[in-house]
Amino acid sequence: MNLSSLKTESYMNTHNKAPAKSPHNPLAHLVKTPKTSVANKLIVGLSCFAAATSFTVSSMNAQVSESTVTEDEKLKISFNGAPGEHYATERAESLKPPVNWTPFHSRKADSNGLVEFSDSLEQTQQFYRIRPGSIYPPLVYASENTGADYPLPVLPELADLPVVEPLTDPFEWSDGSGRSIEFADWSRRRAEIKAEIENYEIGPKPDRPSDITASYTDGILTVNITENEETLTLTSEIILPTGDGPFPAIIGIGAGTGSLPSDIFSSRDIAQITFNFGQVMAHTQSRGNEPINRLYPDLTYMGAYAAWPWGISRLIDGLELVQEDLPIDLEHLAVSGCSFAGKMALFAGAFDERIALTIAQESGGGGAAAWRVSETLGNVETLGATNFQWFKTSMRSFAGSNVSKLPMDHHELMAMVAPRALLVLGNPDFVWLADESGYVSCRAAHRVWENFGIGDRFGFSIVDGHGHCALPNSQRPEVEAFVEKFLLDIEEADTDVTIHPYETVDYGRWTEWWGTEDPVFPGDE
């Protein structure tokens, strides 16, 4: 390693004592944050002008760990903290007060206390600090789509798409230029996944129109959306708990809580909001003749899973407009539905970042299940066998063996919900739902939340012995835990939920290639 190419400078800490030099590398200077700071850790100050060097990061109550530059010219820092604890990393270009620390990464230490993060080497000076706790990633956002300003990714035609037989890598850029596991890049990557799903599966979900009005009277929320000189009206019955609020709320598809038992929510003072999806598009659309088509006559090719989530987003717009009259806590909104409405809930939660908790119940093919995996299972809802009124008809070109040419799959649809909370409920008694595929897909999606150190914000429970869309008592604890943690902020609620009957299924073979440039199954190299 060419240590001469690394420029380092000494800095003083708040006690005006010279910072200690690393015993492993005298060119790396360690700066201690004030004892009064929540960080109470050590900072590495660097000016990087080359691709290869080595330095050290440490802390007051953790072991010193070696840090290196990888072959792909990324800075990699390993930190030994407390097992299971969350750590946030931040960076700054200067230590001159006031220091502008930018949240960069958050991760949970593994069972050995190891925390690792990486960053691209820059030609400018960079400082890093690791501190306990997690300010990042947030639980919910104030805007519908935080990645709206990113340019569209490359969207090739079918003939030009590469074959990827295992599950696609959710961290890989669409243009194939590399991948990033850093949370700072997730908004951009999420925007790419959104664009791919819209382009190849459902059509564009229209943006929020500028002309929206809303009112709340006698328990009914009315939202009027005007576009193209046409107005679409949504009405929603709202059940409010007793008291002044503001109340967390669930948007239930077709009923106040979807297909979930209402007492789970009423007993916890959670408001219930019904989404009447037929006011936007019928269950089986007549293309060009649906209410939404009056507003967007050029989008007759859109699938229902672009239209219905648009309607849920407009309902949330209405809630924002009537805050003085309707006491809903807009930072604690959930959405839920079952079967075709389970898919709807999943698309709605993926495409609107104002939704804090998504509960997708028995969503099957086109929902949590991955198209690629379902293709291997037999008589299940595969891409070629789904209802194409719900999707673009052109999606049919990916049926059969062409499914491996999809540039994304539904583990990435679920990943779009991250860093917010998602609970997936399955029922293997109904073979058509392809719950084995849903299980593999959930395992793959979970890695996104785990990578960001927030694995407890994603859970799945696949339980048999009950009717379709009839939540059994055995699944109530999972639902109640997610509701309590993400709608009521009860931190003690246990949302580490991975319940399934697929002990012999080798889900890892579908994702083992991630992080390499060779998308093949193990043994097929």
mmCIF file of all heavy atoms in Angstrom, residues 44 55-59 62-68 75-81 113-118 130:
data_model
loop_
_atom_site.group_PDB
_atom_site.id
_atom_site.type_symbol
_atom_site.label_atom_id
_atom_site.label_comp_id
_atom_site.label_asym_id
_atom_site.label_seq_id
_atom_site.Cartn_x
_atom_site.Cartn_y
_atom_site.Cartn_z
ATOM 1 N N VAL A 44 -12.074 9.667 12.399
ATOM 2 C CA VAL A 44 -10.929 9.541 11.519
ATOM 3 C C VAL A 44 -10.921 10.737 10.593
ATOM 4 O O VAL A 44 -11.899 10.990 9.896
ATOM 5 C CB VAL A 44 -11.022 8.249 10.699
ATOM 6 C CG1 VAL A 44 -9.834 8.141 9.767
ATOM 7 C CG2 VAL A 44 -11.073 7.056 11.622
ATOM 8 N N PHE A 55 -5.873 2.629 7.391
ATOM 9 C CA PHE A 55 -5.880 3.454 8.585
ATOM 10 C C PHE A 55 -6.764 2.778 9.608
ATOM 11 O O PHE A 55 -7.307 1.704 9.377
ATOM 12 C CB PHE A 55 -6.370 4.875 8.281
ATOM 13 C CG PHE A 55 -7.724 4.930 7.699
ATOM 14 C CD1 PHE A 55 -8.839 5.088 8.503
ATOM 15 C CD2 PHE A 55 -7.904 4.792 6.332
ATOM 16 C CE1 PHE A 55 -10.105 5.120 7.959
ATOM 17 C CE2 PHE A 55 -9.168 4.830 5.780
ATOM 18 C CZ PHE A 55 -10.267 4.992 6.594
ATOM 19 N N THR A 56 -6.953 3.400 10.755
ATOM 20 C CA THR A 56 -7.639 2.764 11.868
ATOM 21 C C THR A 56 -8.719 3.665 12.427
ATOM 22 O O THR A 56 -8.592 4.869 12.437
ATOM 23 C CB THR A 56 -6.637 2.458 13.002
ATOM 24 O OG1 THR A 56 -5.597 1.645 12.452
ATOM 25 C CG2 THR A 56 -7.299 1.717 14.146
ATOM 26 N N VAL A 57 -9.792 3.064 12.882
ATOM 27 C CA VAL A 57 -10.827 3.784 13.612
ATOM 28 C C VAL A 57 -11.052 3.051 14.930
ATOM 29 O O VAL A 57 -10.913 1.839 15.000
ATOM 30 C CB VAL A 57 -12.142 3.873 12.811
ATOM 31 C CG1 VAL A 57 -12.725 2.511 12.570
ATOM 32 C CG2 VAL A 57 -13.156 4.751 13.534
ATOM 33 N N SER A 58 -11.354 3.781 15.971
ATOM 34 C CA SER A 58 -11.528 3.168 17.279
ATOM 35 C C SER A 58 -12.572 3.941 18.063
ATOM 36 O O SER A 58 -13.170 4.890 17.566
ATOM 37 C CB SER A 58 -10.199 3.167 18.036
ATOM 38 O OG SER A 58 -10.361 2.577 19.301
ATOM 39 N N SER A 59 -12.812 3.556 19.297
ATOM 40 C CA SER A 59 -13.728 4.285 20.162
ATOM 41 C C SER A 59 -13.308 4.111 21.601
ATOM 42 O O SER A 59 -12.443 3.304 21.923
ATOM 43 C CB SER A 59 -15.156 3.759 19.990
ATOM 44 O OG SER A 59 -15.338 2.600 20.761
ATOM 45 N N ALA A 62 -14.726 0.505 22.619
ATOM 46 C CA ALA A 62 -14.734 -0.565 21.627
ATOM 47 C C ALA A 62 -13.314 -0.864 21.197
ATOM 48 O O ALA A 62 -12.413 -0.059 21.384
ATOM 49 C CB ALA A 62 -15.576 -0.166 20.421
ATOM 50 N N GLN A 63 -13.112 -2.025 20.624
ATOM 51 C CA GLN A 63 -11.783 -2.413 20.193
ATOM 52 C C GLN A 63 -11.390 -1.694 18.916
ATOM 53 O O GLN A 63 -12.224 -1.316 18.113
ATOM 54 C CB GLN A 63 -11.743 -3.923 19.956
ATOM 55 C CG GLN A 63 -12.052 -4.745 21.195
ATOM 56 C CD GLN A 63 -12.069 -6.220 20.882
ATOM 57 O OE1 GLN A 63 -11.744 -6.634 19.778
ATOM 58 N NE2 GLN A 63 -12.431 -7.021 21.865
ATOM 59 N N VAL A 64 -10.064 -1.497 18.732
ATOM 60 C CA VAL A 64 -9.559 -0.910 17.500
ATOM 61 C C VAL A 64 -9.782 -1.885 16.349
ATOM 62 O O VAL A 64 -9.591 -3.078 16.495
ATOM 63 C CB VAL A 64 -8.057 -0.593 17.635
ATOM 64 C CG1 VAL A 64 -7.485 -0.116 16.300
ATOM 65 C CG2 VAL A 64 -7.855 0.469 18.709
ATOM 66 N N SER A 65 -10.201 -1.375 15.202
ATOM 67 C CA SER A 65 -10.450 -2.213 14.037
ATOM 68 C C SER A 65 -9.707 -1.673 12.836
ATOM 69 O O SER A 65 -9.628 -0.471 12.647
ATOM 70 C CB SER A 65 -11.950 -2.272 13.723
ATOM 71 O OG SER A 65 -12.661 -2.803 14.812
ATOM 72 N N GLU A 66 -9.169 -2.559 12.014
ATOM 73 C CA GLU A 66 -8.466 -2.153 10.802
ATOM 74 C C GLU A 66 -9.453 -1.653 9.755
ATOM 75 O O GLU A 66 -10.546 -2.182 9.627
ATOM 76 C CB GLU A 66 -7.678 -3.331 10.231
ATOM 77 C CG GLU A 66 -6.437 -3.673 11.026
ATOM 78 C CD GLU A 66 -5.351 -2.621 10.918
ATOM 79 O OE1 GLU A 66 -5.281 -1.955 9.869
ATOM 80 O OE2 GLU A 66 -4.591 -2.446 11.874
ATOM 81 N N SER A 67 -9.051 -0.635 9.008
ATOM 82 C CA SER A 67 -9.846 -0.126 7.903
ATOM 83 C C SER A 67 -8.990 -0.117 6.654
ATOM 84 O O SER A 67 -7.786 0.130 6.714
ATOM 85 C CB SER A 67 -10.358 1.273 8.219
ATOM 86 O OG SER A 67 -11.170 1.240 9.378
ATOM 87 N N THR A 68 -9.600 -0.404 5.528
ATOM 88 C CA THR A 68 -8.830 -0.590 4.309
ATOM 89 C C THR A 68 -9.510 0.073 3.126
ATOM 90 O O THR A 68 -10.647 0.535 3.213
ATOM 91 C CB THR A 68 -8.677 -2.088 3.984
ATOM 92 O OG1 THR A 68 -9.971 -2.660 3.823
ATOM 93 C CG2 THR A 68 -7.916 -2.806 5.090
ATOM 94 N N LEU A 75 -13.503 3.020 0.429
ATOM 95 C CA LEU A 75 -13.019 3.037 1.789
ATOM 96 C C LEU A 75 -13.897 2.128 2.642
ATOM 97 O O LEU A 75 -15.111 2.274 2.649
ATOM 98 C CB LEU A 75 -13.075 4.467 2.326
ATOM 99 C CG LEU A 75 -12.624 4.706 3.767
ATOM 100 C CD1 LEU A 75 -11.138 4.452 3.903
ATOM 101 C CD2 LEU A 75 -12.964 6.121 4.174
ATOM 102 N N LYS A 76 -13.312 1.166 3.328
ATOM 103 C CA LYS A 76 -14.068 0.236 4.150
ATOM 104 C C LYS A 76 -13.592 0.333 5.590
ATOM 105 O O LYS A 76 -12.399 0.154 5.869
ATOM 106 C CB LYS A 76 -13.912 -1.199 3.648
ATOM 107 C CG LYS A 76 -14.733 -2.220 4.436
ATOM 108 C CD LYS A 76 -14.579 -3.609 3.843
ATOM 109 C CE LYS A 76 -15.400 -4.622 4.620
ATOM 110 N NZ LYS A 76 -15.249 -5.984 4.064
ATOM 111 N N ILE A 77 -14.518 0.646 6.499
ATOM 112 C CA ILE A 77 -14.193 0.786 7.916
ATOM 113 C C ILE A 77 -14.953 -0.264 8.710
ATOM 114 O O ILE A 77 -16.164 -0.401 8.570
ATOM 115 C CB ILE A 77 -14.543 2.195 8.438
ATOM 116 C CG1 ILE A 77 -13.682 3.243 7.732
ATOM 117 C CG2 ILE A 77 -14.335 2.281 9.943
ATOM 118 C CD1 ILE A 77 -13.985 4.666 8.141
ATOM 119 N N SER A 78 -14.215 -1.016 9.509
ATOM 120 C CA SER A 78 -14.819 -2.020 10.387
ATOM 121 C C SER A 78 -14.709 -1.525 11.814
ATOM 122 O O SER A 78 -13.645 -1.077 12.242
ATOM 123 C CB SER A 78 -14.101 -3.366 10.247
ATOM 124 O OG SER A 78 -14.185 -3.836 8.919
ATOM 125 N N PHE A 79 -15.780 -1.625 12.551
ATOM 126 C CA PHE A 79 -15.845 -1.084 13.908
ATOM 127 C C PHE A 79 -16.386 -2.137 14.851
ATOM 128 O O PHE A 79 -17.414 -2.772 14.554
ATOM 129 C CB PHE A 79 -16.753 0.151 13.895
ATOM 130 C CG PHE A 79 -17.043 0.723 15.245
ATOM 131 C CD1 PHE A 79 -16.109 1.528 15.879
ATOM 132 C CD2 PHE A 79 -18.254 0.479 15.866
ATOM 133 C CE1 PHE A 79 -16.388 2.069 17.116
ATOM 134 C CE2 PHE A 79 -18.539 1.015 17.109
ATOM 135 C CZ PHE A 79 -17.603 1.816 17.734
ATOM 136 N N ASN A 80 -15.725 -2.374 15.956
ATOM 137 C CA ASN A 80 -16.175 -3.365 16.926
ATOM 138 C C ASN A 80 -16.887 -2.678 18.077
ATOM 139 O O ASN A 80 -16.266 -2.027 18.920
ATOM 140 C CB ASN A 80 -14.987 -4.181 17.457
ATOM 141 C CG ASN A 80 -14.489 -5.162 16.422
ATOM 142 O OD1 ASN A 80 -15.247 -5.601 15.571
ATOM 143 N ND2 ASN A 80 -13.210 -5.495 16.475
ATOM 144 N N GLY A 81 -18.193 -2.781 18.107
ATOM 145 C CA GLY A 81 -18.994 -2.192 19.164
ATOM 146 C C GLY A 81 -19.664 -3.256 20.006
ATOM 147 O O GLY A 81 -19.123 -4.338 20.208
ATOM 148 N N GLY A 113 -20.540 -7.965 17.503
ATOM 149 C CA GLY A 113 -20.340 -6.532 17.692
ATOM 150 C C GLY A 113 -19.768 -5.823 16.473
ATOM 151 O O GLY A 113 -19.465 -4.629 16.540
ATOM 152 N N LEU A 114 -19.613 -6.540 15.350
ATOM 153 C CA LEU A 114 -18.975 -5.954 14.178
ATOM 154 C C LEU A 114 -19.950 -5.069 13.396
ATOM 155 O O LEU A 114 -21.068 -5.464 13.101
ATOM 156 C CB LEU A 114 -18.444 -7.049 13.259
ATOM 157 C CG LEU A 114 -17.755 -6.583 11.972
ATOM 158 C CD1 LEU A 114 -16.481 -5.800 12.295
ATOM 159 C CD2 LEU A 114 -17.432 -7.781 11.075
ATOM 160 N N VAL A 115 -19.474 -3.861 13.063
ATOM 161 C CA VAL A 115 -20.203 -2.939 12.198
ATOM 162 C C VAL A 115 -19.264 -2.548 11.067
ATOM 163 O O VAL A 115 -18.114 -2.171 11.313
ATOM 164 C CB VAL A 115 -20.641 -1.662 12.958
ATOM 165 C CG1 VAL A 115 -21.412 -0.735 12.032
ATOM 166 C CG2 VAL A 115 -21.474 -2.024 14.167
ATOM 167 N N GLU A 116 -19.743 -2.647 9.822
ATOM 168 C CA GLU A 116 -18.921 -2.279 8.672
ATOM 169 C C GLU A 116 -19.673 -1.296 7.790
ATOM 170 O O GLU A 116 -20.890 -1.394 7.639
ATOM 171 C CB GLU A 116 -18.546 -3.510 7.845
ATOM 172 C CG GLU A 116 -17.621 -4.476 8.558
ATOM 173 C CD GLU A 116 -17.209 -5.631 7.658
ATOM 174 O OE1 GLU A 116 -18.046 -6.064 6.830
ATOM 175 O OE2 GLU A 116 -16.066 -6.094 7.784
ATOM 176 N N PHE A 117 -18.947 -0.327 7.238
ATOM 177 C CA PHE A 117 -19.533 0.536 6.230
ATOM 178 C C PHE A 117 -18.448 0.916 5.247
ATOM 179 O O PHE A 117 -17.258 0.795 5.520
ATOM 180 C CB PHE A 117 -20.196 1.770 6.841
ATOM 181 C CG PHE A 117 -19.241 2.787 7.408
ATOM 182 C CD1 PHE A 117 -18.803 3.852 6.630
ATOM 183 C CD2 PHE A 117 -18.793 2.699 8.712
ATOM 184 C CE1 PHE A 117 -17.932 4.798 7.139
ATOM 185 C CE2 PHE A 117 -17.914 3.647 9.234
ATOM 186 C CZ PHE A 117 -17.494 4.696 8.443
ATOM 187 N N SER A 118 -18.883 1.349 4.071
ATOM 188 C CA SER A 118 -17.916 1.730 3.048
ATOM 189 C C SER A 118 -18.361 3.015 2.387
ATOM 190 O O SER A 118 -19.523 3.406 2.451
ATOM 191 C CB SER A 118 -17.772 0.619 1.994
ATOM 192 O OG SER A 118 -19.004 0.388 1.347
ATOM 193 N N ILE A 130 -18.455 7.534 14.241
ATOM 194 C CA ILE A 130 -19.418 6.475 14.535
ATOM 195 C C ILE A 130 -19.946 6.741 15.932
ATOM 196 O O ILE A 130 -19.182 6.954 16.867
ATOM 197 C CB ILE A 130 -18.761 5.087 14.490
ATOM 198 C CG1 ILE A 130 -18.094 4.868 13.129
ATOM 199 C CG2 ILE A 130 -19.780 3.997 14.769
ATOM 200 C CD1 ILE A 130 -17.299 3.590 13.056
#
